[in-house]
Amino acid sequence: MLASVDDSLGRLRRTLAEKNLTNSTSLIFTSDNGGLASNDKRSGLARIPTSNAPYRHGKTWLYEGGVRVPLIVHAPHHGGQGTVSEARSVGTDLYPTLLGLAGLPLRPKDHRDGVSLLPEIVGRKMDRSDPIFWHYTYGEYDDAGRGDPRSGAVLDGDWKLIDFFDEGKELYNLKEDPYETRNVAKEFPDVKARLMEKLRHWRRHWTKEKKYTPKKCRRMIKRYYNYSMCQNCGKS
């Protein structure tokens, strides 16, 4: 697969060069998730295909091994070649970034949850004060060997909270523990509560899926994101 991607990118760049479009064309190379770092019963894989070490886990998980991906921007008409940015970004940032690279005005109503990366591309600092959110509701634990844990997460400053809908919550300080080896949710209950409230607020305004109802709490008075009390376990 890597060879195929490399060949395809090479053909694209050669074509741009042949048409004298290299210096006026922006290329963005990235991925939707980390590599698959656990077995999948449905695929019949005998071995784990990839490793994202030292980051934890991989595809379908919201640990850093699953959400940290390459992001390479080639925009010779904007300068900044050879620079490395430590700014945090997410896939929804690409839309406003592409608008900026094309010299088009931003459309805030269309990319409310994205921030343009153009400042970082041209050598300036990007202002990101809002948290970054993830929402994964596709999988079930027993459908595939890789896990497919349904979960949501929020990254705010150095703090990252992962809400496993069926398994509880985990809290990590990525500055002190970038590889997520130590869950400190019990040590910092105030931080956990603050981030969980931000995640709930985001869900109320940005998501419509009902799949993040815990398995043992599916008999609800109302939808889970309205935080009604569960008739089964009495939890809100």
Side-chain angles (χ1 to χ4, degrees), residues 117-165:
L117 306 176
L118 188 58
E120 294 287 336
I121 294 171
V122 301
R124 301 196 305 268
K125 291 297 181 183
M126 178 182 71
D127 179 21
R128 163 160 259 141
S129 55
D130 293 333
I132 294 176
F133 297 92
W134 291 269
H135 185 64
Y136 183 78
T137 63
Y138 174 74
E140 298 280 356
Y141 275 98
D142 49 3
D143 280 353
R146 66 177 180 239
D148 285 346
R150 300 181 305 160
S151 55
V154 53
L155 174 63
D156 189 15
D158 296 327
W159 291 103
K160 179 179 176 183
L161 176 77
I162 305 177
D163 177 24
F164 292 100
F165 307 141

mmCIF file of all heavy atoms in Angstrom, residues 117-165:
data_model
loop_
_atom_site.group_PDB
_atom_site.id
_atom_site.type_symbol
_atom_site.label_atom_id
_atom_site.label_comp_id
_atom_site.label_asym_id
_atom_site.label_seq_id
_atom_site.Cartn_x
_atom_site.Cartn_y
_atom_site.Cartn_z
ATOM 1 N N LEU A 117 -5.007 26.651 9.025
ATOM 2 C CA LEU A 117 -3.618 26.399 9.384
ATOM 3 C C LEU A 117 -2.662 27.282 8.595
ATOM 4 O O LEU A 117 -1.439 27.133 8.724
ATOM 5 C CB LEU A 117 -3.260 24.931 9.121
ATOM 6 C CG LEU A 117 -4.158 23.884 9.780
ATOM 7 C CD1 LEU A 117 -3.736 22.487 9.350
ATOM 8 C CD2 LEU A 117 -4.119 24.019 11.293
ATOM 9 N N LEU A 118 -3.191 28.189 7.802
ATOM 10 C CA LEU A 118 -2.345 29.020 6.945
ATOM 11 C C LEU A 118 -1.277 29.795 7.718
ATOM 12 O O LEU A 118 -0.128 29.886 7.250
ATOM 13 C CB LEU A 118 -3.208 29.980 6.127
ATOM 14 C CG LEU A 118 -2.481 30.778 5.039
ATOM 15 C CD1 LEU A 118 -1.792 29.852 4.048
ATOM 16 C CD2 LEU A 118 -3.458 31.713 4.323
ATOM 17 N N PRO A 119 -1.580 30.357 8.904
ATOM 18 C CA PRO A 119 -0.510 31.035 9.651
ATOM 19 C C PRO A 119 0.695 30.143 9.904
ATOM 20 O O PRO A 119 1.843 30.572 9.748
ATOM 21 C CB PRO A 119 -1.201 31.460 10.954
ATOM 22 C CG PRO A 119 -2.630 31.607 10.578
ATOM 23 C CD PRO A 119 -2.890 30.520 9.575
ATOM 24 N N GLU A 120 0.467 28.893 10.299
ATOM 25 C CA GLU A 120 1.570 27.967 10.552
ATOM 26 C C GLU A 120 2.328 27.636 9.263
ATOM 27 O O GLU A 120 3.549 27.470 9.275
ATOM 28 C CB GLU A 120 1.045 26.679 11.185
ATOM 29 C CG GLU A 120 0.464 26.840 12.569
ATOM 30 C CD GLU A 120 1.526 27.072 13.642
ATOM 31 O OE1 GLU A 120 2.686 26.661 13.426
ATOM 32 O OE2 GLU A 120 1.189 27.661 14.683
ATOM 33 N N ILE A 121 1.610 27.560 8.156
ATOM 34 C CA ILE A 121 2.235 27.225 6.877
ATOM 35 C C ILE A 121 3.190 28.325 6.434
ATOM 36 O O ILE A 121 4.262 28.046 5.871
ATOM 37 C CB ILE A 121 1.151 26.979 5.809
ATOM 38 C CG1 ILE A 121 0.348 25.723 6.177
ATOM 39 C CG2 ILE A 121 1.772 26.825 4.421
ATOM 40 C CD1 ILE A 121 -0.876 25.502 5.312
ATOM 41 N N VAL A 122 2.847 29.577 6.710
ATOM 42 C CA VAL A 122 3.692 30.693 6.276
ATOM 43 C C VAL A 122 4.677 31.138 7.354
ATOM 44 O O VAL A 122 5.358 32.152 7.201
ATOM 45 C CB VAL A 122 2.828 31.888 5.813
ATOM 46 C CG1 VAL A 122 1.930 31.482 4.662
ATOM 47 C CG2 VAL A 122 2.002 32.454 6.979
ATOM 48 N N GLY A 123 4.738 30.397 8.458
ATOM 49 C CA GLY A 123 5.758 30.684 9.464
ATOM 50 C C GLY A 123 5.304 31.492 10.651
ATOM 51 O O GLY A 123 6.131 31.919 11.459
ATOM 52 N N ARG A 124 3.982 31.702 10.783
ATOM 53 C CA ARG A 124 3.462 32.413 11.940
ATOM 54 C C ARG A 124 2.785 31.421 12.887
ATOM 55 O O ARG A 124 2.678 30.245 12.585
ATOM 56 C CB ARG A 124 2.467 33.504 11.510
ATOM 57 C CG ARG A 124 3.053 34.541 10.562
ATOM 58 C CD ARG A 124 2.165 35.771 10.491
ATOM 59 N NE ARG A 124 0.792 35.450 10.137
ATOM 60 C CZ ARG A 124 0.329 35.433 8.887
ATOM 61 N NH1 ARG A 124 1.153 35.696 7.875
ATOM 62 N NH2 ARG A 124 -0.937 35.140 8.630
ATOM 63 N N LYS A 125 2.325 31.920 14.025
ATOM 64 C CA LYS A 125 1.661 31.064 14.998
ATOM 65 C C LYS A 125 0.148 31.115 14.808
ATOM 66 O O LYS A 125 -0.425 32.169 14.558
ATOM 67 C CB LYS A 125 2.015 31.485 16.429
ATOM 68 C CG LYS A 125 3.469 31.215 16.800
ATOM 69 C CD LYS A 125 3.771 29.732 16.772
ATOM 70 C CE LYS A 125 5.209 29.450 17.170
ATOM 71 N NZ LYS A 125 5.531 27.998 17.077
ATOM 72 N N MET A 126 -0.467 29.961 14.922
ATOM 73 C CA MET A 126 -1.913 29.864 14.807
ATOM 74 C C MET A 126 -2.539 29.999 16.189
ATOM 75 O O MET A 126 -2.013 29.469 17.166
ATOM 76 C CB MET A 126 -2.278 28.510 14.198
ATOM 77 C CG MET A 126 -3.768 28.261 14.072
ATOM 78 S SD MET A 126 -4.117 26.611 13.390
ATOM 79 C CE MET A 126 -3.647 25.575 14.783
ATOM 80 N N ASP A 127 -3.646 30.703 16.260
ATOM 81 C CA ASP A 127 -4.345 30.893 17.525
ATOM 82 C C ASP A 127 -5.454 29.855 17.642
ATOM 83 O O ASP A 127 -6.482 29.959 16.974
ATOM 84 C CB ASP A 127 -4.933 32.300 17.608
ATOM 85 C CG ASP A 127 -5.690 32.533 18.907
ATOM 86 O OD1 ASP A 127 -5.424 31.793 19.876
ATOM 87 O OD2 ASP A 127 -6.545 33.437 18.948
ATOM 88 N N ARG A 128 -5.227 28.834 18.458
ATOM 89 C CA ARG A 128 -6.274 27.840 18.699
ATOM 90 C C ARG A 128 -6.575 27.827 20.191
ATOM 91 O O ARG A 128 -5.825 27.270 20.990
ATOM 92 C CB ARG A 128 -5.847 26.455 18.229
ATOM 93 C CG ARG A 128 -6.719 25.343 18.822
ATOM 94 C CD ARG A 128 -6.656 24.053 18.028
ATOM 95 N NE ARG A 128 -7.843 23.938 17.188
ATOM 96 C CZ ARG A 128 -7.847 23.468 15.964
ATOM 97 N NH1 ARG A 128 -6.715 23.112 15.399
ATOM 98 N NH2 ARG A 128 -8.954 23.377 15.277
ATOM 99 N N SER A 129 -7.658 28.456 20.563
ATOM 100 C CA SER A 129 -8.042 28.504 21.971
ATOM 101 C C SER A 129 -9.137 27.501 22.299
ATOM 102 O O SER A 129 -9.321 27.138 23.465
ATOM 103 C CB SER A 129 -8.510 29.917 22.342
ATOM 104 O OG SER A 129 -9.559 30.341 21.482
ATOM 105 N N ASP A 130 -9.873 27.045 21.275
ATOM 106 C CA ASP A 130 -10.968 26.106 21.514
ATOM 107 C C ASP A 130 -10.454 24.676 21.611
ATOM 108 O O ASP A 130 -9.447 24.316 20.991
ATOM 109 C CB ASP A 130 -11.996 26.198 20.389
ATOM 110 C CG ASP A 130 -12.715 27.529 20.376
ATOM 111 O OD1 ASP A 130 -12.815 28.150 21.454
ATOM 112 O OD2 ASP A 130 -13.173 27.947 19.293
ATOM 113 N N PRO A 131 -11.149 23.835 22.345
ATOM 114 C CA PRO A 131 -10.758 22.423 22.435
ATOM 115 C C PRO A 131 -10.948 21.704 21.101
ATOM 116 O O PRO A 131 -11.632 22.188 20.198
ATOM 117 C CB PRO A 131 -11.711 21.856 23.498
ATOM 118 C CG PRO A 131 -12.280 23.041 24.203
ATOM 119 C CD PRO A 131 -12.294 24.153 23.208
ATOM 120 N N ILE A 132 -10.342 20.529 20.983
ATOM 121 C CA ILE A 132 -10.541 19.636 19.841
ATOM 122 C C ILE A 132 -11.366 18.449 20.311
ATOM 123 O O ILE A 132 -11.107 17.889 21.386
ATOM 124 C CB ILE A 132 -9.197 19.171 19.259
ATOM 125 C CG1 ILE A 132 -8.446 20.360 18.642
ATOM 126 C CG2 ILE A 132 -9.403 18.086 18.210
ATOM 127 C CD1 ILE A 132 -7.068 19.992 18.122
ATOM 128 N N PHE A 133 -12.353 18.054 19.506
ATOM 129 C CA PHE A 133 -13.261 16.970 19.881
ATOM 130 C C PHE A 133 -13.187 15.825 18.872
ATOM 131 O O PHE A 133 -12.943 16.041 17.687
ATOM 132 C CB PHE A 133 -14.711 17.473 19.941
ATOM 133 C CG PHE A 133 -14.948 18.532 20.974
ATOM 134 C CD1 PHE A 133 -14.831 19.873 20.645
ATOM 135 C CD2 PHE A 133 -15.299 18.197 22.277
ATOM 136 C CE1 PHE A 133 -15.056 20.864 21.586
ATOM 137 C CE2 PHE A 133 -15.524 19.177 23.224
ATOM 138 C CZ PHE A 133 -15.397 20.517 22.883
ATOM 139 N N TRP A 134 -13.429 14.608 19.379
ATOM 140 C CA TRP A 134 -13.579 13.431 18.525
ATOM 141 C C TRP A 134 -14.851 12.701 18.931
ATOM 142 O O TRP A 134 -15.264 12.748 20.080
ATOM 143 C CB TRP A 134 -12.396 12.472 18.687
ATOM 144 C CG TRP A 134 -11.098 12.974 18.157
ATOM 145 C CD1 TRP A 134 -10.587 12.807 16.899
ATOM 146 C CD2 TRP A 134 -10.103 13.699 18.889
ATOM 147 N NE1 TRP A 134 -9.343 13.397 16.802
ATOM 148 C CE2 TRP A 134 -9.021 13.945 18.003
ATOM 149 C CE3 TRP A 134 -10.016 14.167 20.207
ATOM 150 C CZ2 TRP A 134 -7.878 14.628 18.390
ATOM 151 C CZ3 TRP A 134 -8.892 14.865 20.600
ATOM 152 C CH2 TRP A 134 -7.838 15.086 19.695
ATOM 153 N N HIS A 135 -15.448 11.997 17.972
ATOM 154 C CA HIS A 135 -16.713 11.305 18.236
ATOM 155 C C HIS A 135 -16.735 10.041 17.390
ATOM 156 O O HIS A 135 -16.792 10.101 16.161
ATOM 157 C CB HIS A 135 -17.874 12.231 17.856
ATOM 158 C CG HIS A 135 -19.235 11.683 18.194
ATOM 159 N ND1 HIS A 135 -19.625 11.444 19.484
ATOM 160 C CD2 HIS A 135 -20.292 11.367 17.409
ATOM 161 C CE1 HIS A 135 -20.880 10.993 19.487
ATOM 162 N NE2 HIS A 135 -21.296 10.926 18.238
ATOM 163 N N TYR A 136 -16.652 8.874 18.019
ATOM 164 C CA TYR A 136 -16.601 7.607 17.291
ATOM 165 C C TYR A 136 -17.678 6.676 17.822
ATOM 166 O O TYR A 136 -17.617 6.238 18.973
ATOM 167 C CB TYR A 136 -15.222 6.949 17.453
ATOM 168 C CG TYR A 136 -15.077 5.667 16.665
ATOM 169 C CD1 TYR A 136 -14.841 5.700 15.298
ATOM 170 C CD2 TYR A 136 -15.197 4.436 17.291
ATOM 171 C CE1 TYR A 136 -14.734 4.523 14.565
ATOM 172 C CE2 TYR A 136 -15.087 3.257 16.576
ATOM 173 C CZ TYR A 136 -14.853 3.313 15.215
ATOM 174 O OH TYR A 136 -14.745 2.152 14.498
ATOM 175 N N THR A 137 -18.683 6.386 16.989
ATOM 176 C CA THR A 137 -19.813 5.585 17.454
ATOM 177 C C THR A 137 -20.035 4.349 16.608
ATOM 178 O O THR A 137 -21.054 3.678 16.739
ATOM 179 C CB THR A 137 -21.111 6.413 17.423
ATOM 180 O OG1 THR A 137 -21.393 6.786 16.055
ATOM 181 C CG2 THR A 137 -20.984 7.644 18.276
ATOM 182 N N TYR A 138 -19.083 4.008 15.752
ATOM 183 C CA TYR A 138 -19.329 2.949 14.770
ATOM 184 C C TYR A 138 -19.307 1.548 15.371
ATOM 185 O O TYR A 138 -20.159 0.741 15.104
ATOM 186 C CB TYR A 138 -18.296 3.028 13.643
ATOM 187 C CG TYR A 138 -18.386 1.885 12.662
ATOM 188 C CD1 TYR A 138 -19.422 1.822 11.742
ATOM 189 C CD2 TYR A 138 -17.442 0.862 12.671
ATOM 190 C CE1 TYR A 138 -19.528 0.777 10.844
ATOM 191 C CE2 TYR A 138 -17.541 -0.192 11.779
ATOM 192 C CZ TYR A 138 -18.581 -0.229 10.864
ATOM 193 O OH TYR A 138 -18.666 -1.259 9.993
ATOM 194 N N GLY A 139 -18.298 1.240 16.145
ATOM 195 C CA GLY A 139 -18.003 -0.161 16.453
ATOM 196 C C GLY A 139 -18.668 -0.719 17.689
ATOM 197 O O GLY A 139 -19.282 -0.030 18.486
ATOM 198 N N GLU A 140 -18.505 -2.001 17.831
ATOM 199 C CA GLU A 140 -18.918 -2.754 19.008
ATOM 200 C C GLU A 140 -17.755 -3.638 19.417
ATOM 201 O O GLU A 140 -17.029 -4.167 18.578
ATOM 202 C CB GLU A 140 -20.135 -3.634 18.696
ATOM 203 C CG GLU A 140 -21.377 -2.853 18.271
ATOM 204 C CD GLU A 140 -22.115 -2.264 19.447
ATOM 205 O OE1 GLU A 140 -21.692 -2.545 20.594
ATOM 206 O OE2 GLU A 140 -23.096 -1.540 19.232
ATOM 207 N N TYR A 141 -17.557 -3.849 20.701
ATOM 208 C CA TYR A 141 -16.421 -4.624 21.192
ATOM 209 C C TYR A 141 -16.397 -6.043 20.634
ATOM 210 O O TYR A 141 -15.353 -6.581 20.332
ATOM 211 C CB TYR A 141 -16.433 -4.684 22.717
ATOM 212 C CG TYR A 141 -15.782 -3.502 23.356
ATOM 213 C CD1 TYR A 141 -16.547 -2.440 23.812
ATOM 214 C CD2 TYR A 141 -14.401 -3.425 23.484
ATOM 215 C CE1 TYR A 141 -15.949 -1.343 24.392
ATOM 216 C CE2 TYR A 141 -13.793 -2.323 24.064
ATOM 217 C CZ TYR A 141 -14.577 -1.291 24.524
ATOM 218 O OH TYR A 141 -13.988 -0.202 25.090
ATOM 219 N N ASP A 142 -17.559 -6.672 20.511
ATOM 220 C CA ASP A 142 -17.567 -8.088 20.156
ATOM 221 C C ASP A 142 -17.717 -8.333 18.659
ATOM 222 O O ASP A 142 -17.811 -9.459 18.221
ATOM 223 C CB ASP A 142 -18.690 -8.819 20.906
ATOM 224 C CG ASP A 142 -20.027 -8.093 20.785
ATOM 225 O OD1 ASP A 142 -20.080 -7.071 20.076
ATOM 226 O OD2 ASP A 142 -20.986 -8.560 21.403
ATOM 227 N N ASP A 143 -17.754 -7.290 17.842
ATOM 228 C CA ASP A 143 -17.884 -7.471 16.402
ATOM 229 C C ASP A 143 -16.551 -7.742 15.739
ATOM 230 O O ASP A 143 -16.496 -8.357 14.676
ATOM 231 C CB ASP A 143 -18.509 -6.224 15.757
ATOM 232 C CG ASP A 143 -20.026 -6.215 15.928
ATOM 233 O OD1 ASP A 143 -20.576 -7.218 16.409
ATOM 234 O OD2 ASP A 143 -20.628 -5.206 15.575
ATOM 235 N N ALA A 144 -15.472 -7.218 16.292
ATOM 236 C CA ALA A 144 -14.160 -7.355 15.652
ATOM 237 C C ALA A 144 -13.086 -7.480 16.710
ATOM 238 O O ALA A 144 -13.199 -6.948 17.797
ATOM 239 C CB ALA A 144 -13.874 -6.140 14.766
ATOM 240 N N GLY A 145 -12.041 -8.196 16.378
ATOM 241 C CA GLY A 145 -10.975 -8.407 17.333
ATOM 242 C C GLY A 145 -10.229 -7.150 17.693
ATOM 243 O O GLY A 145 -9.592 -7.075 18.731
ATOM 244 N N ARG A 146 -10.296 -6.126 16.825
ATOM 245 C CA ARG A 146 -9.520 -4.924 17.114
ATOM 246 C C ARG A 146 -10.158 -4.082 18.215
ATOM 247 O O ARG A 146 -9.564 -3.160 18.724
ATOM 248 C CB ARG A 146 -9.333 -4.101 15.848
ATOM 249 C CG ARG A 146 -10.609 -3.511 15.273
ATOM 250 C CD ARG A 146 -10.291 -2.662 14.051
ATOM 251 N NE ARG A 146 -11.485 -2.089 13.470
ATOM 252 C CZ ARG A 146 -11.875 -2.294 12.221
ATOM 253 N NH1 ARG A 146 -11.177 -3.077 11.441
ATOM 254 N NH2 ARG A 146 -12.965 -1.734 11.749
ATOM 255 N N GLY A 147 -11.407 -4.344 18.560
ATOM 256 C CA GLY A 147 -12.024 -3.614 19.652
ATOM 257 C C GLY A 147 -13.151 -2.714 19.214
ATOM 258 O O GLY A 147 -14.277 -2.865 19.642
ATOM 259 N N ASP A 148 -12.854 -1.755 18.329
ATOM 260 C CA ASP A 148 -13.867 -0.807 17.889
ATOM 261 C C ASP A 148 -14.617 -0.179 19.069
ATOM 262 O O ASP A 148 -15.845 -0.249 19.142
ATOM 263 C CB ASP A 148 -14.875 -1.467 16.955
ATOM 264 C CG ASP A 148 -14.318 -1.702 15.564
ATOM 265 O OD1 ASP A 148 -13.275 -1.130 15.231
ATOM 266 O OD2 ASP A 148 -14.939 -2.452 14.824
ATOM 267 N N PRO A 149 -13.928 0.396 20.035
ATOM 268 C CA PRO A 149 -14.619 0.930 21.211
ATOM 269 C C PRO A 149 -15.354 2.226 20.884
ATOM 270 O O PRO A 149 -14.776 3.192 20.413
ATOM 271 C CB PRO A 149 -13.480 1.189 22.197
ATOM 272 C CG PRO A 149 -12.316 1.499 21.320
ATOM 273 C CD PRO A 149 -12.483 0.653 20.087
ATOM 274 N N ARG A 150 -16.639 2.255 21.128
ATOM 275 C CA ARG A 150 -17.409 3.484 20.921
ATOM 276 C C ARG A 150 -17.003 4.492 21.992
ATOM 277 O O ARG A 150 -17.034 4.193 23.180
ATOM 278 C CB ARG A 150 -18.899 3.183 20.993
ATOM 279 C CG ARG A 150 -19.356 2.181 19.950
ATOM 280 C CD ARG A 150 -20.838 1.920 20.048
ATOM 281 N NE ARG A 150 -21.198 1.505 21.396
ATOM 282 C CZ ARG A 150 -22.436 1.574 21.876
ATOM 283 N NH1 ARG A 150 -23.401 2.052 21.138
ATOM 284 N NH2 ARG A 150 -22.702 1.173 23.100
ATOM 285 N N SER A 151 -16.639 5.681 21.557
ATOM 286 C CA SER A 151 -16.100 6.640 22.517
ATOM 287 C C SER A 151 -16.123 8.045 21.948
ATOM 288 O O SER A 151 -16.311 8.258 20.751
ATOM 289 C CB SER A 151 -14.664 6.262 22.907
ATOM 290 O OG SER A 151 -13.850 6.152 21.754
ATOM 291 N N GLY A 152 -15.925 9.002 22.827
ATOM 292 C CA GLY A 152 -15.734 10.392 22.454
ATOM 293 C C GLY A 152 -14.554 10.927 23.233
ATOM 294 O O GLY A 152 -14.152 10.353 24.250
ATOM 295 N N ALA A 153 -13.966 12.015 22.763
ATOM 296 C CA ALA A 153 -12.807 12.571 23.459
ATOM 297 C C ALA A 153 -12.747 14.073 23.251
ATOM 298 O O ALA A 153 -13.282 14.608 22.274
ATOM 299 C CB ALA A 153 -11.511 11.921 22.961
ATOM 300 N N VAL A 154 -12.083 14.733 24.193
ATOM 301 C CA VAL A 154 -11.845 16.163 24.090
ATOM 302 C C VAL A 154 -10.418 16.449 24.523
ATOM 303 O O VAL A 154 -9.932 15.889 25.514
ATOM 304 C CB VAL A 154 -12.856 16.978 24.937
ATOM 305 C CG1 VAL A 154 -12.885 16.494 26.386
ATOM 306 C CG2 VAL A 154 -12.540 18.467 24.884
ATOM 307 N N LEU A 155 -9.733 17.293 23.763
ATOM 308 C CA LEU A 155 -8.375 17.739 24.079
ATOM 309 C C LEU A 155 -8.422 19.234 24.321
ATOM 310 O O LEU A 155 -8.770 20.009 23.430
ATOM 311 C CB LEU A 155 -7.423 17.415 22.925
ATOM 312 C CG LEU A 155 -5.989 17.941 23.040
ATOM 313 C CD1 LEU A 155 -5.287 17.319 24.243
ATOM 314 C CD2 LEU A 155 -5.213 17.655 21.767
ATOM 315 N N ASP A 156 -8.093 19.637 25.538
ATOM 316 C CA ASP A 156 -8.151 21.048 25.928
ATOM 317 C C ASP A 156 -6.847 21.401 26.627
ATOM 318 O O ASP A 156 -6.624 21.006 27.774
ATOM 319 C CB ASP A 156 -9.347 21.283 26.852
ATOM 320 C CG ASP A 156 -9.596 22.757 27.112
ATOM 321 O OD1 ASP A 156 -9.038 23.600 26.383
ATOM 322 O OD2 ASP A 156 -10.351 23.081 28.054
ATOM 323 N N GLY A 157 -5.964 22.129 25.935
ATOM 324 C CA GLY A 157 -4.653 22.403 26.495
ATOM 325 C C GLY A 157 -3.853 21.118 26.587
ATOM 326 O O GLY A 157 -3.728 20.371 25.621
ATOM 327 N N ASP A 158 -3.307 20.852 27.780
ATOM 328 C CA ASP A 158 -2.537 19.627 27.984
ATOM 329 C C ASP A 158 -3.407 18.446 28.397
ATOM 330 O O ASP A 158 -2.917 17.307 28.460
ATOM 331 C CB ASP A 158 -1.465 19.854 29.071
ATOM 332 C CG ASP A 158 -0.435 20.883 28.653
ATOM 333 O OD1 ASP A 158 -0.133 20.956 27.445
ATOM 334 O OD2 ASP A 158 0.065 21.614 29.532
ATOM 335 N N TRP A 159 -4.689 18.701 28.670
ATOM 336 C CA TRP A 159 -5.562 17.664 29.211
ATOM 337 C C TRP A 159 -6.389 17.008 28.120
ATOM 338 O O TRP A 159 -6.953 17.687 27.258
ATOM 339 C CB TRP A 159 -6.491 18.237 30.267
ATOM 340 C CG TRP A 159 -5.809 18.658 31.533
ATOM 341 C CD1 TRP A 159 -5.499 19.925 31.922
ATOM 342 C CD2 TRP A 159 -5.339 17.786 32.570
ATOM 343 N NE1 TRP A 159 -4.869 19.905 33.135
ATOM 344 C CE2 TRP A 159 -4.760 18.605 33.566
ATOM 345 C CE3 TRP A 159 -5.366 16.403 32.758
ATOM 346 C CZ2 TRP A 159 -4.207 18.077 34.728
ATOM 347 C CZ3 TRP A 159 -4.814 15.880 33.904
ATOM 348 C CH2 TRP A 159 -4.240 16.712 34.881
ATOM 349 N N LYS A 160 -6.489 15.671 28.205
ATOM 350 C CA LYS A 160 -7.304 14.907 27.258
ATOM 351 C C LYS A 160 -8.189 13.932 28.029
ATOM 352 O O LYS A 160 -7.710 13.141 28.839
ATOM 353 C CB LYS A 160 -6.409 14.131 26.286
ATOM 354 C CG LYS A 160 -7.180 13.287 25.273
ATOM 355 C CD LYS A 160 -6.212 12.580 24.341
ATOM 356 C CE LYS A 160 -6.921 11.653 23.379
ATOM 357 N NZ LYS A 160 -5.942 10.918 22.524
ATOM 358 N N LEU A 161 -9.492 14.013 27.756
ATOM 359 C CA LEU A 161 -10.469 13.118 28.373
ATOM 360 C C LEU A 161 -11.034 12.199 27.302
ATOM 361 O O LEU A 161 -11.432 12.662 26.233
ATOM 362 C CB LEU A 161 -11.599 13.907 29.014
ATOM 363 C CG LEU A 161 -12.738 13.071 29.615
ATOM 364 C CD1 LEU A 161 -12.312 12.475 30.947
ATOM 365 C CD2 LEU A 161 -14.005 13.910 29.780
ATOM 366 N N ILE A 162 -11.061 10.904 27.572
ATOM 367 C CA ILE A 162 -11.692 9.935 26.684
ATOM 368 C C ILE A 162 -12.889 9.340 27.413
ATOM 369 O O ILE A 162 -12.753 8.810 28.516
ATOM 370 C CB ILE A 162 -10.722 8.811 26.268
ATOM 371 C CG1 ILE A 162 -9.454 9.393 25.637
ATOM 372 C CG2 ILE A 162 -11.409 7.866 25.279
ATOM 373 C CD1 ILE A 162 -8.418 8.340 25.261
ATOM 374 N N ASP A 163 -14.050 9.438 26.793
ATOM 375 C CA ASP A 163 -15.283 8.902 27.368
ATOM 376 C C ASP A 163 -15.664 7.641 26.607
ATOM 377 O O ASP A 163 -16.196 7.704 25.499
ATOM 378 C CB ASP A 163 -16.398 9.943 27.260
ATOM 379 C CG ASP A 163 -17.735 9.431 27.770
ATOM 380 O OD1 ASP A 163 -17.722 8.504 28.595
ATOM 381 O OD2 ASP A 163 -18.779 9.962 27.344
ATOM 382 N N PHE A 164 -15.353 6.475 27.198
ATOM 383 C CA PHE A 164 -15.770 5.205 26.608
ATOM 384 C C PHE A 164 -17.210 4.959 27.027
ATOM 385 O O PHE A 164 -17.486 4.772 28.210
ATOM 386 C CB PHE A 164 -14.861 4.071 27.086
ATOM 387 C CG PHE A 164 -13.456 4.168 26.568
ATOM 388 C CD1 PHE A 164 -12.438 4.675 27.372
ATOM 389 C CD2 PHE A 164 -13.144 3.772 25.274
ATOM 390 C CE1 PHE A 164 -11.139 4.779 26.893
ATOM 391 C CE2 PHE A 164 -11.856 3.871 24.789
ATOM 392 C CZ PHE A 164 -10.843 4.377 25.595
ATOM 393 N N PHE A 165 -18.125 4.941 26.076
ATOM 394 C CA PHE A 165 -19.541 4.910 26.414
ATOM 395 C C PHE A 165 -19.920 3.667 27.204
ATOM 396 O O PHE A 165 -20.888 3.671 27.955
ATOM 397 C CB PHE A 165 -20.388 4.992 25.141
ATOM 398 C CG PHE A 165 -20.021 6.163 24.260
ATOM 399 C CD1 PHE A 165 -20.010 6.027 22.885
ATOM 400 C CD2 PHE A 165 -19.681 7.383 24.805
ATOM 401 C CE1 PHE A 165 -19.670 7.089 22.076
ATOM 402 C CE2 PHE A 165 -19.331 8.451 24.008
ATOM 403 C CZ PHE A 165 -19.325 8.307 22.633
#
